[in-house]
């Protein structure tokens, strides 16, 4: 969008005041700006700009105690209550490997950060919010009643930026969803796929072949990937809840992937949304954004594992599921049976 038509910070603040119940993401879209620009406009008015120093953030959050971690993309919102423990820092990749909060983080994507205070009746809701170069949210941390407020305030003070201007510079992000310059053959893909020994090798294989994930699953053949009916996701949730099955649920964006490992109990459809409303895990999945659902089988040294992968019309993955297992364990029989018996439809031609 042309920068000249964007509202000024005071206009953004007025729009926020006029629409107090609107979600930030929705209001930003209505104003033709990014969510980061909406938040930045309130610097000095309940918002403090913080530097997105991911390693310092992760090591400092442990002392804050119980919080809610939120990672989302355009079509799914993943919320987990827990603590940021078992932190592994790194400049290219960082991780949180706690019992409840389980994250894979790509720090170079984190471009903007803010500490936000928002009055809600007589209470103040506090959160840390981080965004990429395009102003899209990559991760948020919301305080809970049990959070250590002193530790939080100390963390914010340590991360506070000298720049408290109510604007941010936003740049476009190159779309990486579909590769167009790949010359990979089906035989080469199938050969490399057959020799996988760990699911973490999959990304490297795609990079070598210059294929997107969706292109690969369309090409490889139905012994490794088969197309499911879009309603298979809802069916999977209800069967998993009914059977008290432990699953892994991944939701991510360019800067962060958040993982739930365990059962899902309270599955509540509402309009186009599937909602999981458990005690420490909430998920909101917009089903009318689902374009394709694939069951994907990958070889490992412990036998093959099966994932359910959900894609939007743009070819990007919305959400991914596995049966819960630990390293060195084979795939759960109940998950494999469920994945292999969800309703299938004929696969499209390779693209």
């Amino acid at each position: 969008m042309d920068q000249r038509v964007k509202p000024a910070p005071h206009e953004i603040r007025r729009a926020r005041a006029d629409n107090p119940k609107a979600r930030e993401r929705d209001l930003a879209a209505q104003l033709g700006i990014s969510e980061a620009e909406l938040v930045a406009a309130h610097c000095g008015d309940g918002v403090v700009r913080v530097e997105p120093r991911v390693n310092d953030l992760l090591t400092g959050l442990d002392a804050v105690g119980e919080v809610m971690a939120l990672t989302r993309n355009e079509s799914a919102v993943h919320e987990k209550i827990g603590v940021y423990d078992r932190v592994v820092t790194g400049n290219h990749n960082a991780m949180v490997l706690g019992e409840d909060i389980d994250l894979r983080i790509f720090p170079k994507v984190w471009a903007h950060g803010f500490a936000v205070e928002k009055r809600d009746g007589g209470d103040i809701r506090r959160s840390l919010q981080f965004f990429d170069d395009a102003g899209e949210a990559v991760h948020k941390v919301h305080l809970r009643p049990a959070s250590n407020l002193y530790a939080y305030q100390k963390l914010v003070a340590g991360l506070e930026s000298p720049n408290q201007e109510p604007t941010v510079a936003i740049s476009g992000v190159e779309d990486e969803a579909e590769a167009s310059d790949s010359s990979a053959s089906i035989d080469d893909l199938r050969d490399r796929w057959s020799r996988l020994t760990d699911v973490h090798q999959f990304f490297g294989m795609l990079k070598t072949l210059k294929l997107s994930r969706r292109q690969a699953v369309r090409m490889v053949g139905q012994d490794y990937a088969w197309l499911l009916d879009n309603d298979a996701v809802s069916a999977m949730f209800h069967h998993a809840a009914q059977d008290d099955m432990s699953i892994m649920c991944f939701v991510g964006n360019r800067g962060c992937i958040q993982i739930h490992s365990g059962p899902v109990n309270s599955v509540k459809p509402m309009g186009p949304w599937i909602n999981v409303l458990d005690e420490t895990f909430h998920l909101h999945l917009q089903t009318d954004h689902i374009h394709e659902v694939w069951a994907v089988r990958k070889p490992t040294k412990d036998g093959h594992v099966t994932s359910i992968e959900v894609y939007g019309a743009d070819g990007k993955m919305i959400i991914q599921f596995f049966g819960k297992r630990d390293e060195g364990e084979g795939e759960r029989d109940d998950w494999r049976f469920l994945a292999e018996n969800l309703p299938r439809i004929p696969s499209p031609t390779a693209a």
Side-chain angles (χ1 to χ4, degrees), residues 190-239:
R190 288 180 57 82
D191 176 62
R192 291 173 183 269
W193 194 304
S194 71
R195 291 187 282 112
L196 295 172
T197 59
D198 188 297
V199 293
H200 299 104
Q201 296 168 350
F202 193 71
F203 177 74
M205 180 191 75
L206 297 178
K207 191 172 182 180
T208 299
L209 295 175
K210 297 182 179 180
L211 288 171
S212 74
R213 184 182 289 266
R214 190 178 67 159
Q215 285 171 320
V217 299
R218 284 183 164 202
M219 284 176 61
V220 73
Q222 293 196 38
D223 50 342
Y224 287 125
W226 57 95
L227 194 61
L228 300 176
D229 188 280
N230 284 1
D231 290 336
V233 179
S234 179
M236 182 276 297
F237 270 121
H238 287 291
H239 281 292

Side-chain angles (χ1 to χ4, degrees), residues 19 23 34 37 46 68 71 133 150 179 220 230 235 257 271 302 306:
N19 299 274
R23 295 181 183 274
S34 68
E37 290 169 291
M68 188 267 277
T71 301
D133 282 335
Y150 171 76
V220 73
N230 284 1
I257 299 169
D302 304 308
T306 315

Side-chain angles (χ1 to χ4, degrees), residues 63-66 117 124-127 143-156:
V64 179
E66 183 184 271
E117 291 191 354
I124 297 176
R125 292 188 294 160
R126 297 175 174 88
S127 61
L143 265 62
R144 306 253 312 151
S147 302
N148 184 324
L149 183 57
Y150 171 76
Y152 170 78
Q153 291 170 332
K154 182 179 178 182
L155 177 60
V156 171

